[in-house]
Amino acid sequence: MNSVELSTQAQVLTPERQNSPYSATNQSHQPGYLGPTSYEAILSLDNHAIPDRTPSDSGISDSACDHECFVGQFIPKSSRSKIALDALTCLRFFPVIDRLVVAFYGKAQALISPAPSPFILNALAAVRRTVEEFGLENNPPDPHLITAVLANTIKKVKVPPTASQFHEMFTGENLRLETIALLLNITARAVYIGLANEMTDGFQTANEMFRASSACVELCKLLAPVNDLLLWLYFDNAVLTSIICGDTMITSVHGQTSIVIYPLLWRRFGDLIGEIYALGIHRESKDGSMPIFLRESRRRIYCATYYMDKISSTLLGRPPRLCWRHTDIQLPLDLRDEDLVAPTGEVELACRSLDSNGWNTYGGVHQSTWIRLRCLICTFREQIMDHSIGSIDEAAEASLLNISRRGHEMWNSIPEHLRYEHSSWDDELVPSGVCFKLVLAHLAYLFNEFLIQKLLDKRPLAQNQAYLSVSMELLATVLTLGQPRDRVFDNFKDFSYIVLSFGIPSGSVLVTALQEQSATGASLPASITRSEIIRSISVLISNLESVSRPGDGNYPICKKAAKTFTRLIDDILDPKPSAAFHSTLDLGFMGNPSLDGLDNMDMADFFDNIEWGAGGQWGL
């Protein structure tokens, strides 16, 4: 599409035209599934109950219904053009974008993205042609191109029958803001996970792309009808927001320093979840004509978001916003990305090669493998969280024990190559990126049991074998990541999240058991020795002191936690007459501590009070 064609298209798409795509009649914000309590269930009984109406039929003028006018109340046309201009201007970095997007999807075994790689790589090639056609590497964006991109963004995305055509719906003459923003977002994410170490100004460039893509997200909220591409953008931008801004922020009020939720990230996930519900993909489609690539893509985005929601809800002490009991969507099939874009016969053959539970039978690990595994683990997390408020009576205890039993059965039923063992790191056939993801899945599984034992709260702690055993296993698994190995990710960026999320909670239980034993003389379970706990806590302290650097969001918490663990271990090994075990706070499932009071807090209190938000998005 040359500049003349774009100019002609821009004239046709002006909102003043009678058949403007901005008009209410052309907006296709289809809600997707509508349940049995919705208005559709009643009105569909009488197909003639509500006649089709045009804007003029409603008694409202065409101009009042004009989507352009509606959006203009919030974002003036000049602001929209400026956002599109900034996004298109970032395409001057296209050689970098091209290389890093390809590199990002080359690490598919170690990264999670619900957008199947062939769709993005096909879109990348199409955008390359637009960049070359308009000389965007060396010239500012053509005003007609800006106008056309904004006009396209308002259109409904039509789904083609074949996956190979899907990228054509949002590239070329159909180029949309979502496409540009998604490519910018993936590029910035690649920089931040260490795929552009040779770029001297990599972070400066990444930040410019992050700002441009985030502005596009805000504009697309108002301009774009809900569509699959928009969901991919929301997901990826939420992950990048977590990487750059963190899940939590430190505030100081009246001299008291506290950890609170980072509001931008919380809103990003809220936008993503709202769009998922708006599109109705929380329910399995009954449309037999839906292409398999679209069905599987929607399963992926739902299940990947579901996992992120459960992790962040647990770590931030907030109610979950996606509930498995309110959906009938299936787990994505354990297919390769390439299978989704293959001809129909090949896709059917790939599906027939799966076992009865939807896992591949050849031991492969793909994007879909990790998404379905982590989602499956978190269905149990949701059930555990239902018991996090209120007292644990006999019925609740029986329910928690039942969740624990079923969780173990689930773990033993998954393919053997997905069950992490400490020896996995020594298997030369298992890439380090795969080992990293195995560890994350194993930690999520163990943390379910950890939370169950915490809620059951069997006393005395020093003799609670189930609680201490899962704490030891959780901490030992975390500490394996601290050993020097060839890493896919920047060790400082990833390991600090994991230590905060899993190492400190498990370590706090173990050091509290030592405190109790020192004060009461109670013996530990036979399977757990005092010296083993002390060695593990000492390694944890060393990791906390070295895992985060000044300027990192996690640095103050890591330093405070290291100092607290050190003081408590010193008191245990060299007790002072005044040092005695005590617990002064009676707190809930998750809370929010004052960092200033951390030095004088027992580790049980430390765990109960801290917001573990930093650990929500590692490895995504």
Side-chain angles (χ1 to χ4, degrees):
M1 182 169 59
N2 56 37
S3 58
V4 174
E5 293 172 326
L6 277 169
S7 178
T8 303
Q9 181 185 13
Q11 292 175 7
V12 173
L13 294 178
T14 51
E16 290 75 21
R17 299 284 179 171
Q18 182 177 2
N19 296 321
S20 166
Y22 293 85
S23 65
T25 55
N26 285 317
Q27 285 298 305
S28 300
H29 297 270
Q30 295 182 349
Y33 171 85
L34 289 173
T37 62
S38 71
Y39 64 85
E40 184 185 67
I42 299 173
L43 298 182
S44 61
L45 298 177
D46 182 3
N47 293 330
H48 303 290
I50 303 283
D52 292 336
R53 298 163 67 94
T54 64
S56 57
D57 291 332
S58 66
I60 303 174
S61 67
D62 288 345
S63 60
C65 289
D66 196 298
H67 190 63
E68 165 79 1
C69 295
F70 175 75
V71 174
Q73 298 177 31
F74 300 96
I75 304 180
K77 183 178 294 185
S78 59
S79 298
R80 281 172 268 157
S81 297
K82 179 63 166 59
I83 291 172
L85 171 64
D86 290 344
L88 286 165
T89 299
C90 285
L91 294 181
R92 70 186 189 277
F93 300 115
F94 193 79
V96 172
I97 295 170
D98 194 1
R99 180 173 58 81
L100 290 182
V101 170
V102 172
F104 180 89
Y105 280 102
K107 300 292 185 182
Q109 288 186 332
L111 297 165
I112 292 296
S113 177
S117 55
F119 296 158
I120 302 302
L121 296 179
N122 287 343
L124 182 69
V127 173
R128 182 189 300 115
R129 291 191 289 271
T130 300
V131 170
E132 293 172 351
E133 182 176 354
F134 288 92
L136 294 176
E137 289 183 38
N138 303 304
N139 302 306
D142 189 305
H144 298 307
L145 177 61
I146 296 172
T147 302
V149 167
L150 288 170
N152 287 334
T153 303
I154 294 174
K155 293 179 181 179
K156 177 186 175 183
V157 177
K158 298 179 181 179
V159 179
T162 62
S164 61
Q165 298 174 298
F166 186 62
H167 71 281
E168 298 174 1
M169 300 300 101
F170 48 85
T171 59
E173 63 180 12
N174 298 312
L175 184 61
R176 304 170 65 95
L177 273 181
E178 299 104 302
T179 311
I180 302 167
L182 184 57
L183 293 179
L184 297 180
N185 207 93
I186 294 172
T187 304
R189 193 172 157 192
V191 172
Y192 271 93
I193 63 174
L195 298 182
N197 291 328
E198 76 285 357
M199 291 176 60
T200 55
D201 60 345
F203 290 112
Q204 180 179 348
T205 300
N207 287 338
E208 180 182 345
M209 293 182 180
F210 173 57
R211 287 192 296 270
S213 64
S214 297
C216 289
V217 168
E218 296 300 326
L219 183 56
C220 287
K221 286 182 190 179
L222 294 173
L223 283 185
V226 60
N227 62 80
D228 296 273
L229 185 64
L230 185 60
L231 294 184
W232 299 348
L233 173 59
Y234 277 150
F235 182 95
D236 219 82
N237 189 259
V239 173
L240 182 57
T241 301
S242 172
I243 292 172
I244 295 178
C245 302
D247 297 301
T248 58
M249 56 189 290
I250 298 175
T251 63
S252 181
V253 179
H254 303 304
Q256 289 291 101
T257 306
S258 300
I259 309 166
V260 299
I261 295 173
Y262 192 81
L264 177 59
L265 180 64
W266 192 250
R267 292 166 187 158
R268 279 285 182 267
F269 282 125
D271 292 337
L272 171 60
I273 291 168
E275 293 295 312
I276 283 175
Y277 281 136
L279 195 56
I281 64 174
H282 61 296
R283 301 306 303 266
E284 190 73 18
S285 174
K286 304 300 188 293
D287 183 2
S289 64
M290 177 179 287
I292 186 172
F293 75 85
L294 186 63
R295 184 191 69 196
E296 288 300 309
S297 170
R298 291 184 172 182
R299 288 174 174 176
R300 287 186 182 193
I301 188 68
Y302 184 88
C303 291
T305 306
Y306 177 84
Y307 165 81
M308 294 169 70
D309 176 61
K310 296 303 149 302
I311 294 299
S312 62
S313 295
T314 304
L315 303 177
L316 297 174
R318 296 297 188 273
R321 291 181 282 189
L322 283 177
C323 296
W324 198 255
R325 61 181 177 273
H326 292 156
T327 181
D328 64 357
I329 196 169
Q330 302 298 306
L331 293 172
L333 298 175
D334 191 11
L335 298 171
R336 303 177 306 157
D337 282 5
E338 293 76 10
D339 292 330
L340 299 183
V341 298
T344 303
E346 295 181 22
V347 177
E348 293 175 351
L349 182 62
C351 291
R352 286 197 295 270
S353 70
L354 303 176
D355 67 17
S356 59
N357 292 319
W359 298 104
N360 75 71
T361 55
Y362 52 86
V365 286
H366 321 301
Q367 296 266 22
S368 56
T369 307
W370 303 122
I371 291 175
R372 63 182 278 121
L373 175 59
R374 301 198 309 184
C375 179
L376 185 59
I377 293 170
C378 280
T379 59
F380 294 90
R381 178 71 57 84
E382 179 183 325
Q383 298 170 48
I384 297 168
M385 294 179 72
D386 287 342
H387 294 286
S388 64
I389 300 176
S391 60
I392 304 298
D393 54 19
E394 290 185 3
E397 181 175 341
S399 177
L400 285 168
L401 292 174
N402 182 50
I403 295 170
S404 174
R405 176 186 58 79
R406 290 186 291 107
H408 290 310
E409 291 175 353
M410 175 278 298
W411 186 256
N412 292 327
S413 71
I414 65 174
E416 186 176 355
H417 68 278
L418 298 179
R419 296 199 293 270
Y420 170 77
E421 302 289 345
H422 290 304
S423 59
S424 298
W425 290 106
D426 301 321
D427 189 342
E428 295 181 355
L429 298 178
V430 182
S432 61
V434 172
C435 277
F436 185 76
K437 302 301 288 186
L438 290 175
V439 170
L440 294 182
H442 188 58
L443 287 172
Y445 159 69
L446 290 176
F447 203 65
N448 281 351
E449 183 65 21
F450 178 88
L451 292 175
I452 289 173
Q453 296 303 325
K454 175 177 172 55
L455 288 169
L456 292 174
D457 193 26
K458 298 295 185 181
R459 299 292 176 141
L461 176 60
Q463 297 178 358
N464 188 339
Q465 181 167 351
Y467 198 9
L468 296 181
S469 294
V470 71
S471 297
M472 283 294 296
E473 187 175 0
L474 197 59
L475 182 56
T477 304
V478 169
L479 297 180
T480 61
L481 292 174
Q483 300 174 16
R485 294 189 179 95
D486 176 30
R487 296 276 180 235
V488 175
F489 300 110
D490 184 332
N491 186 60
F492 288 97
K493 286 185 174 65
D494 298 292
F495 189 41
S496 64
Y497 295 152
I498 297 170
V499 170
L500 289 173
S501 303
F502 303 113
I504 293 179
S506 56
S508 71
V509 171
L510 296 171
V511 79
T512 302
L514 288 183
Q515 285 182 306
E516 183 181 299
Q517 190 224 18
S518 298
T520 65
S523 59
L524 294 169
S527 61
I528 299 173
T529 66
R530 176 184 173 92
S531 59
E532 183 181 11
I533 293 177
I534 291 174
R535 285 195 300 270
S536 297
I537 297 298
S538 298
V539 177
L540 175 62
I541 292 169
S542 176
N543 285 326
L544 285 167
E545 291 175 336
S546 61
V547 75
S548 188
R549 295 168 287 200
D552 292 347
N554 295 327
Y555 182 75
I557 305 175
C558 288
K559 297 300 288 186
K560 280 281 189 180
K563 185 178 179 181
T564 303
F565 274 118
T566 299
R567 178 180 57 80
L568 294 175
I569 288 295
D570 288 346
D571 288 344
I572 291 169
L573 295 176
D574 187 18
K576 306 296 190 295
S578 61
F581 171 75
H582 65 282
S583 181
T584 58
L585 299 179
D586 183 16
L587 299 163
F589 195 55
M590 291 285 178
N592 187 13
S594 162
L595 294 181
D596 291 337
L598 188 58
D599 291 337
N600 299 315
M601 187 182 293
D602 283 313
M603 289 313 296
D605 299 332
F606 180 72
F607 168 60
D608 279 337
N609 278 282
I610 199 162
E611 299 284 15
W612 305 107
Q617 312 310 329
W618 22 251
L620 289 166

